[in-house]
Amino acid sequence: MSRTIRPVVDNEAQHRFETSIDGEAIAAAYYRIDDNARVVLIHTEVPSEYGGQGFATALATGVFDLIRQAGRKVVLSCSFMADFYRKHPEYADIVDG
């Protein structure tokens, strides 16, 4: 069965970047804004039934792209996002701390 992921959006009210999978399940990367206006990624969640299918990577790519488009910096306190960055050093221009 082919699954689809919607574009990643910033849900500022809930302090998370999110996307829906098949229009139902939510995959999210939670954040806070620090005193230097940097986006601090603190936790990433993808429903377990969607694990291992590339949805977390698609979410991370969307998150990093949105942060870059906004002209902001990111701090990686989430182990998944830190691991994603190690595999994608092309985002070095926005990673701080």
Side-chain angles (χ1 to χ4, degrees), residues 68-88:
R68 179 182 276 156
Q69 289 169 10
R72 301 190 83 167
K73 295 288 185 179
V74 64
V75 177
L76 307 173
S77 292
C78 168
S79 60
F80 175 80
M81 290 297 186
D83 186 56
F84 173 84
Y85 171 61
R86 279 191 289 280
K87 296 173 185 172
H88 297 275

Side-chain angles (χ1 to χ4, degrees), residues 2 9 12 24 27 33 38 52-53 63 68 70 75 86 88 95:
S2 177
V9 296
E12 292 181 39
E24 297 174 8
I33 304 299
R38 299 177 301 179
Q53 299 177 49
V63 167
R68 179 182 276 156
V75 177
R86 279 191 289 280
H88 297 275
V95 174

